[in-house]
Amino acid sequence: MRIGIPAETSAGEKRVATVPEVVEKLIKLGFTVAVQSGAGDAANCSDDAYRAAGAEIIDGAAKLWAESDIVFKVVAPTSAEVALMREGGTLVGFIWPAQNPELMQQLAAKKATVLAIDALPRMLSRAQKMDALTSQAGVAGYRAVIEAANVFGRFFNGQITAAGKVPPAKVFIAGAGVAGLAAIGTAAGLGAIVRANDTRAEVADQVKSLGGEFVKVDYEEEGGGGGGYAKVMSEGFQQAQRDMYAKQAREVDIIITTALIPGKPAPRLITAEMVQSMKPGSVIVDMAAERGGNCELTEPGQALVKHGVTIVGYTDLNSRLAKQSSTLYGTNLFRLAEELCKNKDGVINVNMEDDAIRGLTVIKDGEITWPAPAPKLAAVAKPAAAKPATAPAAKGHGSAGAPASAGKIVAIFSVVALLFLLIGAYAPAAFLGHFTVFVLACFVGYMVVWNVTPALHTPLMSVTNAISSIIAIGALVQIAPPTVLGLDRPDGWILWLAVAGIALTAVNMFGGFAVTKRMLSMFRK
């Protein structure tokens, strides 16, 4: 089957649905690839580069659409492009079926099969490699900070120079989804003081891990809405959130807003009064401008100065990094092609039994199949119902699950003390010393490890495993020549146990340091 890559016709769109590096991979799956002449010019992908990768260059959109079995696009096609599409063909790209009902009807009339990359069920872990929304949001978040830096009047990082002291810029990110987290990492990397807020409390740790400070709204309400998005919050929460935003607007230099809710206009977070309260020269980058904007004064596609504040409402942030956006998007579509063509024979199979493919497929052979049913997630055991509280047991009568009584505790300690007394009375002095050290080591080790935060268990284990290999020294003592230590050579079975101990602890020692080194390298730039 032939995959066609047309030039994008939307005003200002510089991305292309695939790049030469991905064309080579598609050909290895058995497809032939045709690219419209000039389709990748704005993304620095020349026709010669596509030819070198094995693609055929076709002049004119009409011929490309007519001769392609599958069409990869970025932006949803126009009515004119749908008219060029061959009947029964397959289209892959951003469709937004809820917002484009007329387009859906036009594509259905063409008996087409349409896979909307924006309809991917993102809660499926195996679908992450195809998640173009995430890859494009990450690029947009990075670019939003660059646009802010371009119009901001000073450095992001603080500096002390002979000419005076420059304070670091203060950046506030409204919304800590994929785009927000990318913006946080970029702004923190440039040296700014970064604050962020999100309705979902679980992202607080992610904000901190990227060098930001999570600003909490003084109102208890969970904001997770499923699919990685936030939900519409109550009026009480929204009022508390507005109060917090008003305070941040007076303090910070740059605000970047990313808040979007699927199928709804962008929530208004920054009012005109907040803009007026900001310091002259401040910047607002409204990443939700295409859906109406999070700022009341945003004008989509424009960067204007109002009340001394520059409000950037660009809707083409991804196109401003066209090469990077196209590379990531092309890779997402290649991963989708792998799922559709598992036999690597160049023929796709739109398997409606596959949850990921079913979620993507909004039209199948001319029949509208959107919206898709909820994915069949793995069954999760229901939590046990809370047991009703029971009255405390009367004195002198125990009950199941009740705290141990003082008498039981005394009895247990008495038995343990008697056991130690017997060991001390009859065991050799050398054994008693070793046994005492062993018991203390077990107790101290248990208390140290048990009280560590679970998030630190893996790095802690890798270090303690290496340190605990001090037991290798004890094994070396056992196999040392008698003349060295003035001891008798141990029995044969003790000798071989010592050899085995050295071998095992050597693996433990080197493995522990190897794991630690590998983990630390993940956090190095």
Side-chain angles (χ1 to χ4, degrees), residues 233-309:
M233 307 301 286
S234 68
E235 180 56 37
F237 182 93
Q238 292 182 34
Q239 182 57 52
Q241 187 181 52
R242 284 192 289 268
D243 293 340
M244 183 270 290
Y245 283 152
K247 179 182 178 182
Q248 293 299 320
R250 293 190 297 269
E251 296 179 0
V252 302
D253 304 298
I254 297 169
I255 296 178
I256 298 176
T257 65
T258 71
L260 282 173
I261 298 174
K264 297 181 180 295
R268 289 295 170 86
L269 305 178
I270 308 298
T271 64
E273 291 76 13
M274 294 180 193
V275 175
Q276 292 178 12
S277 70
M278 296 181 72
K279 293 173 284 189
S282 298
V283 179
I284 296 175
V285 180
D286 193 340
M287 294 184 63
E290 191 172 5
R291 300 288 184 88
N294 297 136
C295 177
E296 188 177 348
L297 301 180
T298 297
E299 294 191 19
Q302 303 294 321
L304 304 174
V305 178
K306 297 185 178 181
H307 306 296
V309 177

Side-chain angles (χ1 to χ4, degrees), residues 72-90:
F72 282 179
K73 265 188 67 51
V74 181
V75 180
T78 63
S79 297
E81 288 175 319
V82 174
L84 297 176
M85 187 177 181
R86 68 187 301 177
E87 188 164 328
T90 300

Side-chain angles (χ1 to χ4, degrees), residues 174-176 197-203 214-215 217 219-225 229-233 237-238 241 245 259 261 269:
N197 168 261
D198 196 280
T199 57
R200 297 160 294 180
E202 65 269 17
V203 305
F214 187 78
V215 182
V217 176
Y219 193 98
E220 293 299 330
E221 183 176 350
E222 175 52 41
Y229 294 100
K231 69 176 184 181
V232 178
M233 307 301 286
F237 182 93
Q238 292 182 34
Q241 187 181 52
Y245 283 152
I261 298 174
L269 305 178

Side-chain angles (χ1 to χ4, degrees), residues 54-317:
E56 178 186 355
I57 302 301
I58 294 180
D59 291 327
K63 183 179 180 181
L64 181 126
W65 281 87
E67 297 181 359
S68 299
D69 302 294
I70 308 165
V71 174
F72 282 179
K73 265 188 67 51
V74 181
V75 180
T78 63
S79 297
E81 288 175 319
V82 174
L84 297 176
M85 187 177 181
R86 68 187 301 177
E87 188 164 328
T90 300
L91 174 66
V92 183
F94 286 104
I95 304 298
W96 305 108
Q99 288 78 33
N100 296 307
E102 294 183 3
L103 173 63
M104 293 284 286
Q105 294 297 331
Q106 292 171 2
L107 290 168
K110 279 283 188 176
K111 307 295 182 183
T113 295
V114 180
L115 283 77
I117 202 71
D118 49 274
L120 180 76
R122 303 171 77 186
M123 71 288 295
L124 298 177
S125 58
R126 58 180 290 268
Q128 292 177 2
K129 61 185 178 181
M130 301 178 278
D131 190 357
L133 284 172
T134 294
S135 66
Q136 299 304 291
V139 175
Y142 171 88
R143 185 67 192 194
V145 177
I146 301 304
E147 294 295 338
N150 182 51
V151 296
F152 186 51
R154 65 171 198 266
F155 304 133
F156 264 48
N157 62 321
Q159 294 188 17
I160 298 177
T161 69
K165 180 180 179 181
V166 180
K170 294 180 181 178
V171 180
F172 178 71
I173 313 292
V178 176
L181 292 173
I184 292 167
T186 305
L190 291 174
I193 297 173
V194 184
R195 304 169 184 169
N197 168 261
D198 196 280
T199 57
R200 297 160 294 180
E202 65 269 17
V203 305
D205 289 338
Q206 300 174 28
V207 171
K208 294 175 184 176
S209 70
L210 290 170
E213 174 192 351
F214 187 78
V215 182
K216 193 174 183 297
V217 176
D218 190 17
Y219 193 98
E220 293 299 330
E221 183 176 350
E222 175 52 41
Y229 294 100
K231 69 176 184 181
V232 178
M233 307 301 286
S234 68
E235 180 56 37
F237 182 93
Q238 292 182 34
Q239 182 57 52
Q241 187 181 52
R242 284 192 289 268
D243 293 340
M244 183 270 290
Y245 283 152
K247 179 182 178 182
Q248 293 299 320
R250 293 190 297 269
E251 296 179 0
V252 302
D253 304 298
I254 297 169
I255 296 178
I256 298 176
T257 65
T258 71
L260 282 173
I261 298 174
K264 297 181 180 295
R268 289 295 170 86
L269 305 178
I270 308 298
T271 64
E273 291 76 13
M274 294 180 193
V275 175
Q276 292 178 12
S277 70
M278 296 181 72
K279 293 173 284 189
S282 298
V283 179
I284 296 175
V285 180
D286 193 340
M287 294 184 63
E290 191 172 5
R291 300 288 184 88
N294 297 136
C295 177
E296 188 177 348
L297 301 180
T298 297
E299 294 191 19
Q302 303 294 321
L304 304 174
V305 178
K306 297 185 178 181
H307 306 296
V309 177
T310 303
I311 303 175
V312 179
Y314 296 147
T315 58
D316 61 345
L317 291 173

Side-chain angles (χ1 to χ4, degrees), residues 433-508:
H434 289 301
F435 182 73
T436 302
V437 173
F438 173 75
V439 171
L440 290 175
C442 290
F443 176 75
V444 172
Y446 172 81
M447 294 303 296
V448 168
V449 174
W450 188 258
N451 288 290
V452 171
T453 302
L456 298 177
H457 275 181
T458 300
L460 174 72
M461 290 302 105
S462 64
V463 176
T464 54
N465 282 347
I467 297 175
S468 67
S469 297
I470 194 69
I471 194 173
I473 297 177
L476 288 171
V477 170
Q478 292 296 325
I479 65 174
T483 54
V484 175
L485 300 175
L487 302 174
D488 295 332
R489 181 178 291 278
D491 296 335
W493 67 274
I494 294 179
L495 179 65
W496 288 111
L497 281 177
V499 171
I502 291 175
L504 292 174
T505 53
V507 173
N508 195 27

Side-chain angles (χ1 to χ4, degrees), residues 383-418:
K387 295 182 179 179
T390 57
K395 290 185 179 180
H397 299 278
S399 62
S405 64
K408 288 183 179 180
I409 295 176
V410 171
I412 293 173
F413 272 95
S414 298
V415 171
V416 173
L418 179 61

